[in-house]
Amino acid sequence: MDDATLIFAAMRDPSATVSTAMSDPNRSIGIVRTPPRAELDPLDPAVAAAFLASIAALSDDGLLVQPLVLPRAFVDYQAETGAIMAKEAYGALRHLVEDPDLPLDPAVRSRVRQGAAIDDVAHAVRVAARHQALGALEEILGKDDVILLPTTPFPACRLADVDEAVFPMSRLTRLANYLDLCAISVPVATTAIGLPIGMQICARHGREDLVMAVAAKLQAAMQQRNLVIED
């Protein structure tokens, strides 16, 4: 956490010192917003257990935890963000992905080429809808509030088990991309075979200070618990 705090501080102000960059333990923290458990499904049982333990840890630390009410499902944010990214990536990288002689990763080539099928009108509609959602963000998240949710719907997996033709790992993180949130992932538990489980903490654009403060509290609380979740 200390390293992440320094990196965020340097990105915002290269002249920041170590003492000014560290999280203020007395910083005002608003409400910790958490999505209803059912809205996260499908969710690995180990991740679900770690999520509930993280909520309990922050609540025990005195933070107010209340439900997060989103106007759309997580899969919708994932799909819309993915379409915007694909369209813009194809526009910038078309000359690369359409050159069969270039040694590109086939999964990357396939993802970028999906943008070729998205017309300009559909893209403009998506971008306008995103800007409208950004304008309505105050209805979802206060300036001192954070969102707590799992980083991925399952624990870290082995490289050999990754299927790049599907994108389950981004289902819960695209919300931050779509709404221009800042975020950090904190390891909070491990599985019985030692694979890490992370929780992400998100806040409004420019509130890295808030994200880091809550992340520090969560990390300290979960390190004390040393949570290992059996299969």
Side-chain angles (χ1 to χ4, degrees):
M1 278 303 308
D2 288 349
D3 290 344
T5 301
L6 288 172
I7 291 171
F8 272 121
M11 290 170 61
R12 295 188 60 162
D13 180 7
S15 65
T17 64
V18 172
S19 60
T20 59
M22 290 296 117
S23 297
D24 179 1
N26 299 315
R27 183 178 308 284
S28 175
I29 299 173
I31 300 170
V32 178
R33 301 283 183 182
T34 60
R37 169 66 183 79
E39 292 186 9
L40 298 173
D41 284 333
L43 195 66
D44 186 275
V47 176
F51 177 51
L52 295 177
S54 298
I55 293 174
L58 291 180
S59 181
D60 290 346
D61 200 23
L63 298 184
L64 178 62
V65 180
Q66 291 186 356
L68 171 69
V69 179
L70 295 173
R72 307 182 70 174
F74 285 102
V75 291
D76 293 334
Y77 291 112
Q78 182 188 33
E80 292 300 289
T81 304
I84 292 172
M85 291 169 61
K87 174 67 172 178
E88 296 181 353
Y90 186 77
L93 304 174
R94 176 179 178 177
H95 62 292
L96 299 178
V97 299
E98 297 296 358
D99 185 346
D101 295 328
L102 288 179
L104 294 181
D105 183 284
V108 173
R109 189 189 299 271
S110 175
R111 286 198 295 270
V112 175
R113 290 186 71 183
Q114 291 176 11
I118 302 172
D119 64 61
D120 293 341
V121 173
H123 178 65
V125 169
R126 286 192 174 95
V127 171
R130 178 174 179 263
H131 283 299
Q132 184 176 7
L134 290 172
L137 184 57
E138 289 185 5
E139 301 173 9
I140 301 173
L141 193 66
K143 66 180 182 65
D144 293 326
D145 295 350
V146 300
I147 299 172
L148 172 72
L149 73 163
T151 306
T152 59
F154 46 80
C157 61
R158 303 180 189 279
L159 286 176
D161 298 328
V162 174
D163 180 0
E164 292 202 61
V166 294
F167 317 107
M169 289 183 287
S170 67
R171 177 164 55 85
L172 302 178
T173 56
R174 290 303 186 207
L175 172 71
N177 297 130
Y178 192 82
L179 295 178
D180 200 19
L181 307 177
C182 59
I184 189 172
S185 180
V186 180
V188 297
T190 59
T191 65
I193 61 174
L195 296 175
I197 300 172
M199 294 293 131
Q200 58 176 318
I201 299 165
C202 311
R204 290 169 64 170
H205 178 80
R207 292 308 312 270
E208 287 90 352
D209 60 324
L210 185 60
V211 163
M212 304 306 285
V214 177
K217 287 179 177 292
L218 179 60
Q219 178 176 269
M222 297 307 289
Q223 283 178 341
Q224 290 181 353
R225 286 166 170 75
N226 193 27
L227 184 61
V228 177
I229 301 176
E230 303 293 334
D231 294 336

